[in-house]
Amino acid sequence: MAPLSARIGPSILNADLSQLHEESEKLLANGADYLHLDVMDGTFVPNLTFGHPVVKCLRNKIKDAFFETHMMVQNPQQWIEPMADAGVQQYTFHIEPVLDSVADVCRKVRESGMKVGLALKPGTAVEAVQQYIDSADMVLVMTVEPGFGGQKFMGDMMPKVQWLREHYPALDIEVDGGVGPATIEQCSKAGANMIVAGTAIIRADDQAAVIRDLRSAVQSAINHGGQC
């Protein structure tokens, strides 16, 4: 069983989307471990971002980086094949709109060659995901309401992270929403090892230093058993 690793995935939602390739290359050059691509359909969440054509164009420019799509969509089944074709490696979808077919969606994602991520809105109990964890590679605990960047971090989501880490010591656990230097200690000590940060990295004067500091906090918690 592979040991947990600290990974930092900037959310490009806060970047200049007219310069998506350049902004993404800059983030990777500054030490990002992967790119977190927020896909919103205007239905599951009120906002609208970009879809598989944009992701495919980005993949044509960036050959080697790990792409995770965070599918904030009402019908995640609809976009599995297009995102696989676009070169996505991990397909993270919300369980809320598909509670009666989560296992089926997981199977289809895996059959398409992508890793499976299961995402939980703040109002969704962590136990809701329990029966599907064997089918998943990662669980994403949202620390803001999905749909918009720049929201305030919800520290009261940390018990979900702690519960997952206690019950599934080897599971990749991601947090997304309002995460930055001021909140990373809460996330790392609770047990998150994959960190999505948007504004805190994108708008930093020194992106590399922020990424390095976030990763260091998480890796330190892993190394010293600070994770529950």
Side-chain angles (χ1 to χ4, degrees):
M1 189 179 295
L4 286 176
S5 62
R7 279 167 279 166
I8 310 302
S11 165
I12 61 170
L13 187 61
N14 297 100
D16 179 352
L17 296 181
S18 71
Q19 304 286 326
L20 192 54
H21 167 230
E22 294 84 350
E23 295 258 352
S24 297
E25 289 279 22
K26 180 182 175 186
L27 289 164
L28 293 164
N30 281 324
D33 296 294
Y34 63 103
L35 294 178
H36 181 89
L37 310 175
D38 289 305
V39 176
M40 306 181 195
D41 64 355
T43 302
F44 179 68
V45 293
N47 206 357
L48 191 66
T49 54
F50 48 80
H52 57 92
V54 171
V55 177
K56 190 167 189 174
C57 288
L58 190 61
R59 174 56 81 199
N60 287 337
K61 297 272 192 180
I62 300 175
K63 303 295 186 185
D64 300 327
F66 189 94
F67 284 8
E68 177 200 10
T69 50
H70 177 192
M71 305 300 296
M72 289 171 266
V73 298
Q74 193 66 27
N75 184 13
Q77 301 95 315
Q78 182 177 354
W79 309 110
I80 293 171
E81 287 304 326
M83 284 300 182
D85 178 67
V88 170
Q89 283 111 331
Q90 179 160 306
Y91 191 90
T92 299
F93 66 94
H94 276 267
I95 68 169
E96 291 89 1
V98 288
L99 282 175
D100 58 345
S101 56
V102 173
D104 186 47
V105 179
C106 289
R107 179 179 56 79
K108 290 176 178 174
V109 171
R110 199 168 299 287
E111 287 174 354
S112 77
M114 296 183 290
K115 287 188 168 186
V116 178
L118 302 177
L120 303 175
K121 293 172 72 172
T124 303
V126 70
E127 290 82 5
V129 80
Q130 186 172 12
Q131 62 184 303
Y132 309 115
I133 285 179
D134 287 345
S135 302
D137 297 287
M138 185 207 79
V139 174
L140 162 58
V141 174
M142 289 298 295
T143 45
V144 296
E145 286 294 337
F148 297 92
Q151 296 181 64
K152 184 173 170 53
F153 175 82
M154 295 173 150
D156 56 352
M157 293 298 108
M158 291 303 98
K160 291 185 186 180
V161 177
Q162 291 172 337
W163 187 91
L164 287 166
R165 181 58 67 216
E166 287 166 4
H167 289 82
Y168 305 97
L171 179 69
D172 279 327
I173 303 171
E174 185 177 66
V175 289
D176 176 14
V179 182
T183 53
I184 188 62
E185 290 291 339
Q186 293 179 65
C187 300
S188 61
K189 287 179 179 176
N193 68 299
M194 295 178 68
I195 305 297
V196 177
T199 308
I201 294 175
I202 302 287
R203 299 183 184 164
D205 292 332
D206 188 342
Q207 290 185 353
V210 174
I211 291 172
R212 193 165 55 244
D213 289 348
L214 294 177
R215 187 187 297 109
S216 175
V218 176
Q219 196 61 53
S220 177
I222 293 171
N223 293 346
H224 295 96
Q227 301 201 337
C228 298

